[in-house]
């Protein structure tokens, strides 16, 4: 039997935190608009933090599926960008301490990794685990982004209803952590931000802002978000310029707006993924954006 403790190394000066919240996101699973990646990346860029624990990526990652970048200079190799999967300690805008776990999603030993995180959760006295990511939905960027919440206990999300029924989807380490650690009595919840399907492959800072706002409501943590909001404003301006320059895009977005508004007003009872009129697919809309950008570059 393998020991979960062998998968991570706890820092010698790991702080004693008062029941911290652990925010986590792993790169590699569905994350439309980069919602989770941008959100946690923003926090680590804006807030002072220090490493509390690191995981053994040599055991957890398949380097041939995600090859690290190496630098060759003239006649020799000079650098290798080693991936890092780590837990960081940080403070929010009010001075409240919390933890951030981020890095590539493990390729191997999911169950053992889950036990290792559970061991860390117990040692660091984590009060709540929170994850976030984006999912593509047939919604327009001109309307507020929705959020689907899920949790190990209904009380954590006030038993909020969901647009989804019972479905089977490919698994992820983030979901497995919520399932396994929740079954052991830990409080775990997540936020899936509804990202316009035609923007799913791009970086969409508005989705990250929405994710952090949801985390604030669910945990009380307060984050500096002005630079992220400014990035969202710039991105939305660029999107609007593209749409205004294309009658085809404008028509497609108006159709999504009508569908969204009808649902919001209660005139439709199907969930937002059901299409009552023929709508362009995310790939079709994305292709239209790409054609527009290519034409603008040519000009």
């Amino acid at each position: 039997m393998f020991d979960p403790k062998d998968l991570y190394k706890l820092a010698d000066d790991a702080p004693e935190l008062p029941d911290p919240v652990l925010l986590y996101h792993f790169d590699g699973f569905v994350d439309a608009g980069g919602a989770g990646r941008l959100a946690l990346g923003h926090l680590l860029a804006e807030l002072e933090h220090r490493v509390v624990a690191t995981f053994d990526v040599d055991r957890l990652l398949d380097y041939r599926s995600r090859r690290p970048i190496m630098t060759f200079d003239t006649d020799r190799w000079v650098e290798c960008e080693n991936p890092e999967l780590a837990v960081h300690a940080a403070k929010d805008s009010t001075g409240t301490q919390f933890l951030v776990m981020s890095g590539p999603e493990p390729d191997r030993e999911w169950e053992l990794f889950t036990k290792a995180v559970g061991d860390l959760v117990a040692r660091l006295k984590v009060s709540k685990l929170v994850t976030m990511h984006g999912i593509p939905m047939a919604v327009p960027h001109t309307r507020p982004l929705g959020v689907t919440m899920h949790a190990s206990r209904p009380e954590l999300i006030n038993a909020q209803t969901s647009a989804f029924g019972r479905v089977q989807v490919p698994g992820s380490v983030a979901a497995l952590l919520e399932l396994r650690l929740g079954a052991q009595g830990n409080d775990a919840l997540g936020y899936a931000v509804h990202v316009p399907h035609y923007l799913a492959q791009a970086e969409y800072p508005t989705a990250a802002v929405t994710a952090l706002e949801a985390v604030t409501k669910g945990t009380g943590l307060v984050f500096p978000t002005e630079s992220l909001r400014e990035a969202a404003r710039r991105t939305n301006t660029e999107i609007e310029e593209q749409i205004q320059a294309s009658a085809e895009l404008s028509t497609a977005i108006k159709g999504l707006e009508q569908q969204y508004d009808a649902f919001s007003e209660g005139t439709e009872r199907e969930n937002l993924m059901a299409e009552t009129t023929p709508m362009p697919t995310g790939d079709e809309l994305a292709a239209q954006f790409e054609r527009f950008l290519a034409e603008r570059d040519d000009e």
Side-chain angles (χ1 to χ4, degrees):
M1 294 294 291
F2 295 108
D3 187 346
K5 293 184 178 64
D6 292 339
L7 275 186
Y8 71 88
K9 180 179 180 181
L10 192 64
D12 295 333
D13 59 347
E16 291 285 339
L17 305 181
D19 302 323
V21 170
L22 171 62
L23 307 182
Y24 68 97
H25 173 80
F26 305 113
D27 298 332
F29 185 59
V30 174
D31 188 26
R37 176 176 56 81
L38 290 176
L40 292 196
H42 171 76
L43 295 184
L44 292 178
E46 290 285 322
L47 302 173
E48 291 187 5
H49 58 87
R50 58 169 168 156
V51 174
V52 172
T54 54
F55 290 90
D56 186 353
V57 292
D58 264 358
R59 286 183 56 176
L60 295 172
L61 299 187
D62 177 2
Y63 287 108
R64 291 194 299 174
S65 67
R66 289 184 282 187
R67 296 180 183 272
I69 300 299
M70 297 183 65
T71 302
F72 184 82
D73 186 358
T74 310
D75 58 359
R76 66 188 187 279
W77 295 103
V78 296
E79 186 178 3
C80 178
E81 295 181 8
N82 294 318
E84 182 182 65
L85 177 52
V87 178
H88 303 261
K91 293 182 180 180
D92 76 349
S93 297
T94 67
T96 300
Q97 298 182 86
F98 67 101
L99 300 169
V100 175
M101 178 167 59
S102 62
E105 181 183 46
D107 296 307
R108 307 185 178 93
E109 301 193 84
W110 279 18
E111 293 291 352
L112 191 64
F113 175 74
T114 299
K115 292 177 181 177
V117 174
D119 188 73
L120 264 177
V121 163
R123 295 178 69 173
L124 298 174
K125 300 178 181 179
V126 171
S127 62
K128 186 181 296 182
L129 296 95
V130 183
T131 188
M132 67 214 76
H133 72 290
I135 55 175
M137 297 282 279
V139 295
H141 70 281
T142 53
R143 300 293 185 267
L145 301 185
V147 178
T148 292
M149 297 188 288
H150 47 88
S152 56
R153 293 188 297 115
E155 296 81 4
L156 294 174
I157 55 175
N158 298 320
Q160 178 172 323
T161 57
S162 169
F164 300 93
R166 183 181 179 89
V167 296
Q168 290 185 315
V169 297
S172 69
V173 169
L176 188 64
L177 282 174
E178 184 176 315
L179 176 65
R180 295 286 188 253
L181 299 189
Q184 296 173 14
N186 294 283
D187 283 345
L189 67 155
Y191 301 101
V193 181
H194 302 173
V195 176
H197 56 332
Y198 50 91
L199 299 174
Q201 300 302 316
E203 289 194 349
Y204 191 47
T206 299
V209 171
T210 301
L212 291 179
E213 289 176 341
V215 172
T216 293
K217 291 180 181 178
T219 66
L221 294 171
V222 180
F223 308 116
T225 58
E226 184 51 42
S227 63
L228 191 59
R229 293 179 189 276
E230 178 58 32
R233 286 191 285 268
R234 290 196 303 269
T235 300
N236 288 333
T237 297
E238 293 172 359
I239 292 171
E240 286 301 321
E241 290 175 353
Q242 296 173 30
I243 292 172
Q244 293 301 319
S246 170
E248 190 177 11
L249 287 174
S250 297
T251 300
I253 299 302
K254 286 179 181 177
L256 287 173
E257 290 174 340
Q258 292 170 358
Q259 177 177 287
Y260 182 100
D261 293 342
F263 177 85
S264 298
E265 293 167 3
T267 57
E268 293 179 4
R269 296 297 178 230
E270 300 297 327
N271 66 52
L272 282 174
M273 292 186 297
E275 298 182 1
T276 58
T277 58
M279 298 296 297
T281 66
D283 288 341
E284 291 169 344
L285 278 171
Q288 293 170 23
F289 271 106
E290 289 171 0
R291 286 199 299 272
F292 172 81
L293 288 173
E295 292 170 359
R296 190 167 67 173
D297 288 342
D298 290 340
E299 294 173 359

